[in-house]
Every structure is written in C-alpha cells, then in structure tokens.
Amino acid sequence: MANHHTSSNRLWILGLIPLAFAAYFFLQLEGVASGQFLQFSIPWVPDLNVNFSIYIDGLSLLMSLLVLGIGGLILIYASGYMAGNAKIGRFFFILIFFMIAMLGVVVSDNIFLLFIFWELTSISSFLLIGFSHESEKSQKSAQQALIVTGLGGLALMAGLIMLGYIGGSWELSELLAQGQFLDGHPAFPAVITLIFLGAFTKSAQFPFHFWLPNAMAAPTPVSAYLHSATMVKAGVYLLARLYPIFGGSDTWFFTLVIIGGITGMLGGWLAWQQKDLKRIMAYTTISALGILVFLLGVGQKIGTEAAVLFLFVHSLYKGALFMIAGSVDHETGTRDVTILGGLRGKMPLTMVAVTLATLSMAGVPPLVGFVGKEVIYEATVENVDYRVWLTAVAFVMNFFNVAAAAAILYMPFIRSQPADTQLELDHTHEAPWTMWIGPLSLGILATLSFFFVGSELFSGQLIQGATEAVYGKPAEIKLYALPPALTIVPILSIFTIVGGIIFFAVQGRLIKAARAADAAVSRFGPESGYFAGFDGLLAGAASITLFVQNGKLRRYVLYVVVSFILFVGLPLFLNFGALSWRLSPPPLLYELIVSAVIILATLMVTFARSRLAAVAALGVVGYGIAILFLYFNAPDLAMTQFSVETFTVILFVLVLYRLPAFKAITSPAGRLRDVIIAVLAGGFMAMLVLLVTAVPQSQHVIDYYAQSSYPLAKGQNVVNVILVDFRGFDTLVEISVLGVAAVGVYALIRRGVIRGLSRGERGES
Amino acid sequence: MIISWPILAQFFTALFCLFFWARRDIQRILSLVGSFAALASAIGLLLQVQEAGIQVMQLGNWPSFAGIVLVADLFSAIMVLITAFMGLMIALYAISDIESGQEAFGYHALYHFMLLGVTGSFLTGDLFNLFVWFEIMLVSSFVLLSLQGNRPQIEGGMKYVILNMLASLTFLSAIGLLFSVTGTVNMADIARQLEVVAPQYPTLIIALAMMFTLAFGMKSAVFPLFGWLPASYHTPPTAVTTIFGALLTKVGVYAMIRVYTLIFNQLDTLNYTLTALLLISAFTMVVGVFGAVSQFGFRRLLSFHIISQIGYLIMGLAVFTVASIAGTIFFMVHVILAKAALFLVSGIVKQLTGTNDLKQLGGFYNNNMALSMLFFIPAMALAGIPPLSGFWAKFAIIKAALESGSYWIVGVGLFVSMLTLYSMVKIWTYVFMRARPEAYDKPLEPMAVNDRWLRWTPTILIGGLTVLMGIYAGPLMALSTEAAEQLMAPAQYIGVVLGGAG
C-alpha cells in the first residue's frame, strides 16, 4: 500500500450526514440534561411486547454523540483509506448499516428493540471482520467473533425476557424507575448471570476477550469504529443502563470489579509486548473496557461518574489512535513498530494528532485523559472497604496504558528509524486530508474538553446528565482541569506517568521473557479452551451423526420399533398397577387353532433359511387373518385378504430369482437383541389391544350406519354403503392413490430398470 | 363452499395433467393455472375464516360424525395458504429445474397429487380421512422422489417408503384402537367422547396419544425416527427437495398440534405427554443440528436442519400455552419460507457449478452479489437473526417457554440456535466468502434467460418474504395468536362441527 495514492473519491460527503445528526443531538443536550428526555413509541409486535420505542436520556445522548460524531469522522476517513478498493460501496453500506444499528442500541427504550439492534451490530461486525473475505484469517476471525458474541446475545435474550417478565414491563424507562426490584428474587442470580454473559462477550471481558484482537483482521476504519470506539462499548452501555436495577448488590460489585480488574490488567500486560500497532491498540482497548466494567462495579456516584468520563475520554483517543495506525499502514505499508521510525517529520499533522491522543491516553495534561484518570483514582480511593485493593488494580491498569501510549508515540514517530531494517521510508509523506482530519479533530476535542472540563456544558450537562442516568439519582458533578488541592489522587497520577515511562524505557529487556511466559500460559488460556471446546463439539456432533444416521435401513427400522416400546410401552409399564383390564370370555376352540397357526407361521418366518420359505410362511399368516375375518362376519374383507395374499406370493415367486443371495448378516448377539425388542413391542401392542377392549365403546356411529344404511342410502350391505356413500370421499382419494402408484410403477419400470440403475451419484452411505 | 376449493383445484389440476399425458407444454400451463387457482381459493378461504369463523363442510350432507367433514379453522387456513403459495412458486421453478424425462412420466400430475394430499390433510376433520390424505401424499412423493430412477434415488426412496409405511401402519393401528374406545373417527366427536373416557382411563389414553405421536413423529422426522429424511432428500431435483422440505414434515407437525389441542387435551394425560414431547423436541433439535454442522453437502446440511427446526416446533407445542402455540404457527410459516429459499439457492448454485459439495464451491460473494444476498438473508432468518422472520419465531417460542417456567428446554433451544448460526456461517464461508478452490475452478455454466427468471423469481419472492414477515411481524403474530386461541379453546371447533345438540 505504500505510495499507493488514488485521488480521494467523494464518498466522504456521506460522513457529513452523521455529523449533522450529531450536531442536532448536541443541541438537545441542554434540554435532556434538565430532564426533558426525548421519547417516541409506536407498537411493532404487540403480542410479543415489542415496541419501536425510543428514549433518550443523558447516557443515551452521550453515546449517540459518540456513535454519530466518531462515525462521521470514520466515514470521511474510510473514503480515503479504502480509496481504490473495488468493494468500497459494499464497505460503506455495511458500515452505515452498523452505525444505524449501534445508534439503535443506545436509544432503545424497549428491551427487545435494544436486543434486536444489539444482534444487528454483531452481524455487521461479522461482515466487516470478514470483509477481506478470501483470506482464511478473516473468515476464522469473523466466525469466532460471531460465535462468541452470538452466544452472549442468546444468553442476553433469555436474561432480558426474564427481567421484563419479572419487572412487569418491557420498557427500560419503566423498569429502571422501579429501582432494585430484583433484589431477593429467586431468579436474581440467573437473570444477572445471563445479562453479564451478554455484556461480557460483547465488551470482550475476560475470559471472552480473545475475539477482539483477532477482529483486527477487519479494515482499520472498522477496528477504529466498531472494535474500539463504539460496538464493544455496547456491553458497557448495557451494564451502565442496568445499574439502577443491579448496582449495589454484592454480586454486581464483586463480579464486575474482579472481571473488569482482570480484563484491565491482562489487556495492559499483553499490550506492551505487541509489535503490531493495531494489536497494541486492541489489547489496550481490552484493558480500557476492563477499566470501564471495573468502574461500574465500584459504582456509587463517583464510580459511575468515573465510568462515564472515561468512556468519553477513551472513545476520543482510541478512535484517533486507530485511525492513525491505519494512516501509518497506508503510507508505509507496515504496522510493525519495531521497524518504523522517524515519521514525525514526514507526517506532521498526523504527528500532532498522535501526540494529543497518546497524551490523553497516558493521562497527561492538558488533555481530558488527565481528568479521567484523576476521577478513576478518586473513585477507588473513596471506597471505604477495599480502598487499597481497588486503587492498586487501577494503578496497574493505568500504568500499562502509559507504557503503551509511550510506545505508540515514541517508536514510529519520535525516534529515528532503526538502521538495520529493510523498510524504506524516504518517500513516505502525509496521508490525504480525509485521513488526518478525523484523528486531529478528536485530538483537538480532547484538548478543548480539558480546558472546558469545568464548564456547565461539559461537566454540568454532558457528564452529569449521563452520570445521573446511570446512577439513577440526581448527582452534582464538578470537574476540575487541575486538582484543586494536593491529595493522594494527583500524587498517584504522577506516579503512574513516571512509572509507566520508566517501564517503557526498560521493557525491551523484559519482552522476551514475557512472551515466553505468555506462550506457556496461553495453552491453558480461554482461546485454547474455545478452540478445544468448539472442535470437540464438532467432532462429537460428527460421530453422533454417523452413529444415528449410519445409512442402514434396518438400523432405522430398529429405531422405530424401539421408539414404539419407549413411546407406547413405557407409560403402560409405569402405570401397570393402575390399568383396568377386562377378562374377555374364554376363547373358542377355532379361535385358538387359527391363532396358533398364525403364531407358528410367524415364528417360521423368522427362522426361515430361504426367501421362498419366508414368503410361504407369511402367506400362511395372511390366510389365517383372513379366516379370522370370516369368523367375524366380514366375508368381503376376507375375500380381499385372500386375493392380496395370493397375489403377493405369486408376484414374489416371480421376482425371486432376480434377488441377491439370501444371507444372514446379523450376529447372534444382534439377533438376541432383536428378539427381545420384537417381543417387547409385540407384547405392548397386544396389551394395548386388550386394554382398549375393556373400555365400553360408544355405539352412536355404528347405530347410525345400521339404521340409515337402507332408508337413507338405499343399500343393504352396510360396509358397501360406508365405502361408497357415507365415506365415499375416502374411497375417491384411495382410488387416486392407486392411480398414482400405477404411474409410479410405470415410470420406475421404464426409467429405472431400462435406463439403468448404474447411472448416478453416490448414495447416502 | 369455498373450503373445498383448494382441494378441488389441486385435484382437477392433477387429473387434467394426466389427461394430457403426452403434452408437456399443456401440462406446464395447467400446473401454473391450477396452482394459481389454488392460491386464490386459499386466500379466499383465509379471508372467509377470518370473517365468519370456523368453516365446516359435511360431504354428502351426512351428519358430521357419520360422514366425512372438512373443517377450516385459522390454523388450517394459514397452512393451506402457505401450501398453495409454495405450490405456485415451486411449480414455476420446476419448469426450469425438472428435466423433460421426468415431465414425460407425469411429474406435473404427481406434483399436484402430492399437494392435494397436503391440502387435504390440513382441511380434514376426520382422523381416518387424514390417513387417506397421508397415503396419497406418501405414494406421490415417493414416485416424485425416484422419478429420475438413478441409484441414490432408488436407495433413498426405499428407505423413504418403507419407514413411511411403518408410520402409516402405526397411524392406522392407532386409529383402530382409538375407534375401539370412542366408536368414531370424527375428530370433534372423538374429543367429545374422550372428555368422559380419558379421566377414567388416563394411562390407556396416554398410550394412545403416544402412539399417534409416534406415527406423526415419523412423518415429521423427529428423533430417532428421522432416518428416511437425510437418506432421501438430497437425491431428487431441487424443486422436489424444496417442496418436500417445505411441506411434508410440517404436515406431521400439523397433525400433532391438531390431535394434542383437540383430542388429547385432558389434564389427566397432558402431564405425561407434554413432558415426553419436550424430551423428544430437545433430542430432535440437538441431534438434527449436530447432523447439520457435520455435513459438507449443501442440500444434506439443509436437510438435517429440517429435523432440527421440527424440534423447535415440537418444543412450542410441548410448552402448550396460547403464546407458545402462536409462536409455533409463526415458526412453521417462517421455516417453510426460509428453508425453501435456501434450497432454491442451492439449486441455482448447483446449476451454475454442477455440484452441491461445499468443498468444491466458492467465490460467489465475489462474482455474484445478488445470489449472495439471496442466500445470506434467508440463512440469517433461519439462524434467528433479527429483524427477520426467524427471530420472531424463535423469540416467541423462547419467550413463551421462559414465561411458563420451562427453563432447561430454553437452554437447549438457545444452544441449538447457536449451532444453527454456525452452520449457516459454514455454508456462507465455503460457498460464498472464500475463493473457489483451484482444483475445481472452472467457469460457471451459462444460464438461459428463461431459466434465469423461472428460478430467480420464486427465490426472490420467497426470500423476500422472510424479510417482510419480519417487518410485518406485528399483524402476522396477531393472526397466529388468534389461530392459537382457537386451537387452545377447542369447544368452539367441536360445537361448529357437531352442531349445538351434537
């Protein structure tokens, strides 16, 4: 991509639309901050309690501003970054689709509407990670991200349904107004677990964090927008949103502080070891998401305030940094920090932007990141019970961020290019305007925010409005650009920055050992677990399928008979004592004889050593049944049965010589199994028949036939009248069945036998 | 009476197609005109039922319990409508897809005989008559399946016909046993008799209910009775697979819903039977989707998905609330559309490349954006991604299950939903995203203009409906809920069929 310049196309104009919307939202700030929330609702699927309802309070407004503002800058950026790519139209389409979905997530009032948009962000993320669709890495990463976030999404769906069901409302505004209504409810652990699963997978919390660095396979504008500034914040947003319901419980505090803390520290630890600019940023994003979750766990007014402020701070600097990483890649052809250097003079505007962004990341004045870090420390220091622990965790997380910020600023930009690399940077120059305007704007915004941090607009409306929405109660926010008094907090800040820079200076010596340690641990890490679990699942699925669907008809028939025993036999067996039997009158002699013949013939079929014997024995069974028909006064049925049996035997004998040799293919054990199954199934069927005869049968239909047959239908044979009149329709359809069968036989003979069975593809097995 | 029109339309179309045995061109026109007539009358029927309530027709004017009755409640009317719609769409697709060799052996007549069986099953109010409809459905589908007469078709067809005959045998025996208890085969009449009998003989009625479950379970391909489906569904032409996959198993589910809501709905028996159904649904969902994720044949993968989705439908039935049954009805219509759209896409892919083997495919995202979208949208619908039809279907059933406290089955359902998504992504990755493997990279077969619109029109219409169903989920879910309310309050049905005095 180095020196690859295509004249910027006009797609950047699209970026102005979200910016215009952002401006509109910005104008609403004062009203929303004073409690005039924007609301709108129309029913969508009332039977499922889904309304298209929008509710914009301080938190939604802050998120919307980030989604639209950064989104607009990203679109402008992407018009430069993707210039010359043949699929740029598709790219913009999905990106804008995502933007709308993300906006939907943060403004939805109805919890299911929120969920719908939530899923749409996952799908657009899938399409964008897999944008370079022919690369196997993209395919794998896209699939992984979709599965991890999709799994969380399903858990979230269940959690939201339960939340709304218990709360008696499906609108967030109404649920939140009820406060901590779930406390003490037996379903509380289930609901909170399911919702945590949704939020943690989406926001890449440990142990689900691994999909996020892999998502960097997406084009850089996507990484900047979805996987840093907005989509991954959806989980954080959801947690913040539900703070009034769950916040304050011990489960909430410990889960979020521990998971957030681990994520924050782990992300930081992994970040400094990376060589790829985008991967450094991916891990610091994980770290930042951890910090946010951690802060929401700490909770209370100051914790939620810190979370809201840091959310804002992080989106600004990380969005900028990702765009810068893309610009570096675009202009130099690499993102490897170990071989880059000396870009400060070649890309001066980008240099300004990266300086502002990294300083904000490191928490150095005069950037708003400094204030963010101060408030984080205030939040941990104010916690009475766990002050030391929380502060220590926050310190570690911040400290790594400083080190990473130093690396991003120093290695590609400030230092001269290392002498021993092959990379040739002489002709590298500044990126096109579309690509520096975004990072520079965000950097300037971070600076302005610092200087106006105490203003009514910033702290009184933007941050206070969002904090009150999270905290659920009025909260007076006062922010100071520089600490008004020298407490422990600014001292911690100074230590963090100094410590981070010292660490960065010596990290070169640690990096080998650290990577080796990581490699050793990662074999037991969650990503290995994901692959092992998923591959294991697929392997299990394949072997179960092979067992169940083994291609053998006799196996399938076996399943049917066994199912008969399970379906029909089991209830009889379970309630055997409660069954009511009727002792039938003792059988007459001829009944006994005919039955004995039928049973003997049946046994003969199973023992027969040739097909002919089996067919003959089957014929005997049929004749026996026909004789029974005769005894029960049904001569026409008996006649039919006699003819069918006779023809069957004759037909069979005719084709017998064409059939393959008769072989016993089952083992003795298999035959024993079959005997048991057959006897059980037959036994239950016989039982059922006996049971049925114990129930007195209603005679109203039979009586009607007997009485009406002659007077109404003019027929003396009731059976005939039933067949051709009372139920003549059945007969009509049955005749059609015969017609169809005839067509089938004709076609099979003409096409199947003559045109050759040998043609065709492989069969099932 | 408008209730018989959808049946008559299919019946006479089939008959006239037989009359013009040697004239394929006339048969094609007849098939389209007949399908259109069936669709129009199905629409009329649904409107009529919505307007005037449950419709009944006593054939031969005999009293309901003595003769045969056709009954159309909302559920029936919805199913008849979707059948007629699919019938028309596939009739169109078939003109391009079915070889002249098969047309010469009565393809069009067989096709409409099969649709006749499906339509009749949805409209009959008589248990034995239902059996007869099953028979014509079975025989005509078997012949359609093996009409090309090649080896895999005969092999799959054997399994298909033998296992389905076993199902018929079970069904017939169950009817006989139930007749012995109630003295009638009219469903409303049976229901009325069982109100008295079931509390006295609960175990016996449970066993009979389970016997019907077994018979209909085989028809609808639940675990472990589905062996015939994956063995045969990938062998015939795409048009045949599509109409089978869309409709045949759903008839089994329809019958199950009908007998459980109308006949075996006594509290004494439901405790046991619904638990059994819940277990069946869980196994069916899981084993079906396991089969799907293990496949590398486009159509075989989709075939296994039919099974898995049947599990979802049974789950909705087993939860047995108005909301869950409403979800099931919505799900049924959705899955018919989504699955059909995917099968049709597989047919287009097959025609373009000559294969259905995922391992040999690739490159469509690059060179055919329209086809990619035509796959991606129904695939996402099938995976339950909002706001497409499948999301509402899944959501309705899951929500109903959670609200009735059936937690574990929800866990199973969500797990299966995950794997469904994975399997769709698998096809997407293999056939669309990646480049075609070099070993198989040959130019696509050209498609004639005629073929193109005959195949693309139904595919676009059906796929588009999965989007529209999502957007208009509100009124459609309201309709499903109304249908479910009718099902769950069978007194109305019984009253209309048997008349006030009975």
Side-chain angles (χ1 to χ4, degrees):
Chain A
M1 295 263 275
N3 302 320
H4 170 79
H5 283 288
T6 328
S7 59
S8 196
N9 47 52
R10 301 236 178 87
L11 279 171
W12 62 267
I13 295 170
L14 283 174
L16 299 181
I17 300 169
L19 288 177
F21 275 103
Y24 170 79
F25 273 77
F26 189 71
L27 294 176
Q28 309 301 316
L29 184 57
E30 192 174 353
V32 169
S34 63
Q36 293 156 359
F37 302 145
L38 307 176
Q39 264 178 293
F40 167 82
S41 178
I42 49 168
W44 187 359
V45 187
D47 288 279
L48 297 175
N49 316 102
V50 180
N51 299 315
F52 200 99
S53 54
I54 302 296
Y55 182 83
I56 300 176
D57 62 359
L59 179 63
S60 298
L61 188 69
L62 173 64
M63 290 298 294
S64 308
L65 284 172
L66 292 174
V67 169
L68 290 166
I70 299 181
L73 295 175
I74 289 285
L75 287 182
I76 296 174
Y77 178 84
S79 74
Y81 184 86
M82 303 295 288
N85 188 318
K87 290 170 191 147
I88 190 168
R90 185 188 294 181
F91 183 81
F92 266 71
F93 179 82
I94 308 173
L95 204 59
I96 291 170
F97 180 80
F98 164 79
M99 190 184 295
I100 296 167
M102 188 64 209
L103 191 63
V105 169
V106 298
V107 301
S108 291
D109 191 13
N110 188 282
I111 49 178
F112 301 133
L113 187 67
L114 184 153
F115 176 75
I116 287 171
F117 285 123
W118 177 285
E119 291 287 89
L120 287 179
T121 63
S122 293
I123 287 296
S124 37
S125 163
F126 167 75
L127 289 171
L128 288 167
I129 298 173
F131 186 73
S132 311
H133 54 86
E134 293 186 348
S135 127
E136 198 174 352
K137 188 170 173 299
S138 296
Q139 295 162 8
K140 288 243 159 69
S141 304
Q143 182 182 314
Q144 186 184 53
L146 184 63
I147 286 181
V148 174
T149 56
L151 209 56
L154 292 170
L156 177 65
M157 181 170 111
L160 289 178
I161 292 174
M162 289 170 76
L163 180 72
Y165 185 64
I166 296 166
S169 166
W170 313 91
E171 306 296 322
L172 272 171
S173 51
E174 290 169 19
L175 286 169
L176 295 178
Q178 299 178 43
Q180 304 175 332
F181 65 87
L182 261 178
D183 280 6
H185 193 282
F188 178 89
V191 176
I192 201 168
T193 307
L194 291 167
I195 290 177
F196 277 170
L197 271 176
F200 289 174
T201 49
K202 194 81 165 176
S203 283
Q205 297 296 298
F206 176 85
F208 307 111
H209 61 281
F210 54 87
W211 69 264
L212 186 56
N214 294 337
M216 297 301 143
T220 301
V222 175
S223 312
Y225 191 38
L226 275 72
H227 303 125
S228 159
T230 59
M231 186 187 86
V232 288
K233 300 256 167 62
V236 173
Y237 168 78
L238 182 73
L239 292 175
R241 193 82 278 182
L242 297 177
Y243 180 87
I245 297 174
F246 296 110
S249 69
D250 280 356
T251 320
W252 174 273
F253 175 81
F254 286 109
T255 314
L256 294 193
V257 164
I258 291 172
I259 295 291
I262 292 177
T263 311
M265 294 192 289
L266 183 72
W269 167 255
L270 292 170
W272 67 271
Q273 311 169 23
Q274 306 300 322
K275 288 196 291 193
D276 178 350
L277 258 183
K278 268 179 86 176
R279 284 187 85 84
I280 298 177
M281 289 171 195
Y283 281 109
T284 56
T285 302
I286 292 177
S287 172
L289 294 168
I291 295 175
L292 286 166
V293 169
F294 171 85
L295 290 172
L296 286 171
V298 171
Q300 303 308 326
K301 172 185 165 263
I302 187 72
T304 51
E305 175 192 338
V308 165
L309 183 58
F310 187 62
L311 180 93
F312 174 77
V313 169
H314 176 257
S315 298
L316 257 50
Y317 76 69
K318 194 53 69 62
L321 286 179
F322 262 111
M323 286 193 257
I324 290 162
S327 301
V328 169
D329 192 6
H330 194 259
E331 300 310 319
T332 68
T334 182
R335 299 189 306 252
D336 186 343
V337 290
T338 59
I339 57 172
L340 282 167
L343 293 177
R344 64 181 184 283
K346 299 189 171 87
M347 302 174 73
L349 290 165
T350 306
M351 176 65 197
V352 175
V354 77
T355 310
L356 295 175
T358 47
L359 289 183
S360 190
M361 178 175 176
V364 178
L367 275 301
V368 71
F370 172 73
V371 187
K373 186 165 303 177
E374 295 279 294
V375 182
I376 292 175
Y377 282 131
E378 274 176 40
T380 60
V381 169
E382 266 191 29
N383 187 294
V384 184
D385 298 328
Y386 303 96
R387 172 180 300 158
V388 177
W389 280 106
L390 296 177
T391 309
V393 171
F395 180 78
V396 174
M397 298 190 287
N398 286 330
F399 163 90
F400 279 128
N401 263 321
V402 175
I408 295 167
L409 180 61
Y410 177 77
M411 294 173 82
F413 286 94
I414 293 182
R415 69 165 183 184
S416 309
Q417 196 189 4
D420 52 345
T421 63
Q422 301 291 317
L423 187 67
E424 203 270 315
L425 294 177
D426 291 349
H427 301 292
T428 302
H429 50 74
E430 186 55 85
W433 74 270
T434 45
M435 292 177 66
W436 56 252
I437 189 114
L440 198 60
S441 311
L442 290 175
I444 292 170
L445 195 57
T447 319
L448 286 177
S449 301
F450 175 82
F451 287 113
F452 294 96
V453 76
S455 66
E456 170 64 16
L457 179 70
F458 189 81
S459 70
Q461 292 177 359
L462 190 66
I463 301 301
Q464 181 170 320
T467 306
E468 284 180 345
V470 180
Y471 187 44
K473 292 172 211 156
E476 178 81 6
I477 305 283
K478 277 239 79 67
L479 293 171
Y480 301 94
L482 293 171
L486 193 66
T487 58
I488 179 85
V489 173
I491 295 174
L492 278 167
S493 259
I494 294 168
F495 267 101
T496 313
I497 295 167
V498 174
I501 290 172
I502 293 174
F503 180 77
F504 170 68
V506 300
Q507 75 179 26
R509 274 163 246 174
L510 304 173
I511 205 158
K512 261 208 174 106
R515 282 197 189 134
D518 290 343
V521 175
S522 72
R523 273 189 292 139
F524 308 100
E527 185 163 20
S528 309
Y530 165 82
F531 282 121
F534 204 70
D535 293 349
L537 183 66
L538 293 183
S543 53
I544 287 176
T545 307
L546 261 176
F547 176 78
V548 175
Q549 191 76 16
N550 75 342
K552 300 268 191 298
L553 179 58
R554 56 179 181 279
R555 170 77 67 90
Y556 306 155
V557 173
L558 181 74
Y559 290 153
V560 173
V561 182
V562 171
S563 299
F564 178 81
I565 297 171
L566 285 177
F567 282 37
V568 182
L570 193 64
L572 296 177
F573 177 76
L574 290 176
N575 280 310
F576 194 77
L579 295 174
S580 40
W581 306 85
R582 184 186 63 144
L583 288 179
S584 52
L588 302 171
L589 184 63
Y590 63 79
E591 288 176 338
L592 279 178
I593 294 172
V594 175
S595 307
V597 169
I598 292 175
I599 291 170
L600 279 176
T602 310
L603 286 175
M604 251 184 80
V605 174
T606 60
F607 285 106
R609 293 250 163 238
S610 76
R611 283 213 179 84
L612 191 62
V615 170
L618 263 184
V620 174
V621 174
Y623 271 68
I625 289 169
I627 291 171
L628 283 183
F629 285 156
L630 269 185
Y631 283 133
F632 288 106
N633 300 325
D636 26 9
L637 268 186
M639 281 311 296
T640 315
Q641 181 82 10
F642 279 127
S643 354
V644 168
E645 290 300 332
T646 313
F647 276 117
T648 309
V649 173
I650 292 173
L651 278 176
F652 204 83
V653 171
L654 281 178
V655 298
L656 202 57
Y657 77 101
R658 283 177 173 268
L659 295 174
F662 187 67
K663 280 185 299 194
I665 42 177
T666 44
S667 62
R671 258 174 287 169
L672 180 65
R673 175 199 66 195
D674 292 348
V675 167
I676 295 171
I677 289 170
V679 168
L680 274 175
F684 279 123
M685 186 68 202
M687 216 169 123
L688 205 53
V689 173
L690 286 178
L691 285 169
V692 158
T693 53
V695 182
Q697 188 189 30
S698 165
Q699 299 292 315
H700 63 295
V701 178
I702 296 167
D703 290 345
Y704 181 85
Y705 285 158
Q707 286 156 15
S708 322
S709 207
Y710 187 69
L712 294 180
K714 311 295 177 219
Q716 287 179 328
N717 183 328
V718 181
V719 174
N720 284 354
V721 174
I722 292 175
L723 287 180
V724 300
D725 200 336
F726 291 129
R727 303 187 61 91
F729 193 53
D730 280 343
T731 312
L732 172 71
V733 183
E734 282 292 358
I735 291 170
S736 312
V737 172
L738 289 180
V740 172
V743 171
V745 170
Y746 175 67
L748 269 181
I749 291 174
R750 287 292 299 275
R751 288 178 67 83
V753 180
I754 297 173
R755 298 265 302 278
L757 274 175
S758 55
R759 189 169 62 95
E761 310 153 45
R762 216 160 48 88
E764 188 200 359
S765 47
Chain B
M1 291 281 277
I2 193 164
I3 185 169
S4 60
W5 291 0
I7 292 180
L8 293 177
Q10 301 290 3
F11 183 71
F12 283 111
T13 309
L15 216 55
F16 287 139
C17 283
L18 282 182
F19 292 163
F20 292 97
W21 180 262
R23 293 292 303 273
R24 294 207 309 275
D25 47 348
I26 296 183
Q27 286 189 38
R28 288 175 172 187
I29 293 167
L30 277 173
S31 174
L32 287 181
V33 171
S35 301
F36 203 81
L39 180 59
S41 40
I43 293 172
L45 178 61
L46 180 62
L47 292 177
Q48 175 86 9
V49 173
Q50 270 187 303
E51 178 101 339
I54 299 174
Q55 300 292 302
V56 180
M57 180 175 183
Q58 287 149 337
L59 299 175
N61 227 2
W62 295 110
S64 293
F65 62 87
I68 293 171
V69 282
L70 299 180
V71 189
D73 61 356
L74 271 177
F75 183 34
S76 298
I78 292 170
M79 294 311 294
V80 168
L81 177 57
I82 188 76
T83 303
F85 173 73
M86 290 305 301
L88 177 62
M89 291 297 110
I90 304 305
L92 207 58
Y93 193 92
I95 292 176
S96 155
D97 191 49
I98 301 297
E99 307 166 15
S100 53
Q102 292 156 68
E103 287 185 307
F105 285 96
Y107 169 84
H108 294 292
L110 292 165
Y111 177 75
H112 288 283
F113 272 123
M114 193 204 73
L115 289 177
L116 168 70
V118 176
T119 311
S121 303
F122 292 144
L123 285 176
T124 186
D126 186 285
L127 214 45
F128 185 79
N129 190 235
L130 181 62
F131 170 78
V132 176
W133 291 123
F134 273 23
E135 287 301 283
I136 193 153
M137 210 163 71
L138 169 61
V139 174
S140 50
S141 60
F142 168 63
V143 179
L144 280 173
L145 191 63
S146 47
L147 205 52
Q148 275 168 316
N150 58 35
R151 180 172 281 277
Q153 288 185 352
I154 302 291
E155 195 184 327
M158 275 302 286
K159 289 166 187 159
Y160 178 83
V161 83
I162 288 188
L163 290 168
N164 273 289
M165 296 275 260
L166 270 176
S168 298
L169 181 70
T170 314
F171 186 19
L172 192 59
S173 315
I175 294 175
L177 292 168
L178 191 59
F179 176 77
S180 172
V181 171
T182 59
T184 176
V185 288
N186 176 288
M187 290 199 266
D189 202 10
I190 293 174
R192 199 181 48 177
Q193 304 291 334
L194 282 192
E195 278 167 24
V196 186
V197 178
Q200 293 169 10
Y201 304 91
T203 308
L204 174 62
I205 302 304
I206 288 172
L208 287 178
M210 291 307 294
M211 200 159 165
F212 280 101
T213 310
L214 180 71
F216 298 146
M218 278 190 258
K219 281 279 165 204
S220 46
V222 302
F223 175 83
L225 309 165
F226 57 67
W228 55 269
L229 191 151
S232 58
Y233 267 26
H234 61 296
T235 61
T238 306
V240 175
T241 305
T242 307
I243 199 78
F244 282 18
L247 298 178
L248 294 190
T249 48
K250 311 306 177 296
V251 180
V253 179
Y254 166 88
M256 232 186 268
I257 293 175
R258 181 63 74 196
V259 296
Y260 273 105
T261 53
L262 179 61
I263 297 178
F264 298 114
N265 58 5
Q266 303 79 19
L267 290 177
D268 317 78
T269 61
L270 281 178
N271 244 343
Y272 184 94
T273 49
L274 293 184
T275 311
L277 283 177
L278 216 51
L279 282 170
I280 293 169
S281 82
F283 277 106
T284 307
M285 277 192 275
V286 172
V287 177
V289 86
F290 273 6
V293 297
S294 312
Q295 302 305 314
F296 281 93
F298 202 149
R299 273 202 281 170
R300 282 210 82 185
L301 197 159
L302 294 175
S303 300
F304 271 101
H305 261 304
I306 299 177
I307 298 165
S308 180
Q309 310 289 343
I310 293 292
Y312 251 101
L313 295 172
I314 308 281
M315 168 181 167
L317 170 63
V319 171
F320 213 68
T321 60
V322 168
S324 81
I325 300 278
T328 307
I329 296 171
F330 191 94
F331 199 116
M332 193 121 78
V333 176
H334 140 71
V335 82
I336 286 173
L337 294 170
K339 190 58 62 56
L342 293 174
F343 270 125
L344 293 184
V345 171
S346 84
I348 294 176
V349 167
K350 172 134 194 205
Q351 216 218 354
L352 289 170
T353 62
T355 180
N356 245 329
D357 184 351
L358 296 189
K359 288 175 179 161
Q360 302 182 16
L361 290 165
F364 279 106
Y365 196 27
N366 229 359
N367 60 32
N368 200 334
M369 191 60 190
L371 190 64
S372 305
M373 285 301 98
L374 224 41
F375 171 80
F376 192 71
I377 290 169
M380 289 300 110
L382 194 76
I385 297 298
L388 303 167
S389 56
F391 166 72
W392 301 107
K394 173 179 81 177
F395 179 62
I397 292 182
I398 295 284
K399 184 160 176 277
L402 278 176
E403 288 176 2
S404 77
S406 322
Y407 298 118
W408 67 268
I409 194 76
V410 169
V412 175
L414 294 179
F415 170 72
V416 168
S417 165
M418 190 65 245
L419 286 180
T420 307
L421 178 60
Y422 166 74
S423 65
M424 289 299 114
V425 168
K426 179 176 173 178
I427 299 182
W428 176 247
T429 308
Y430 271 93
V431 182
F432 295 90
M433 279 176 89
R434 64 170 196 170
R436 197 154 183 214
E438 274 178 29
Y440 306 104
D441 200 7
K442 47 181 186 190
L444 300 179
E445 303 277 332
M447 212 187 243
V449 178
N450 250 350
D451 279 343
R452 197 170 297 162
W453 80 260
L454 283 171
R455 283 175 188 250
W456 283 74
T457 310
T459 314
I460 292 170
L461 284 176
I462 296 171
L465 275 182
T466 64
V467 181
L468 290 181
M469 249 187 107
I471 294 169
Y472 294 103
L476 293 174
M477 196 57 85
L479 181 65
S480 307
T481 305
E482 212 184 320
E485 279 163 357
Q486 270 183 1
L487 286 171
M488 295 299 275
Q492 192 194 353
Y493 182 105
I494 298 171
V496 174
V497 173
L498 297 179

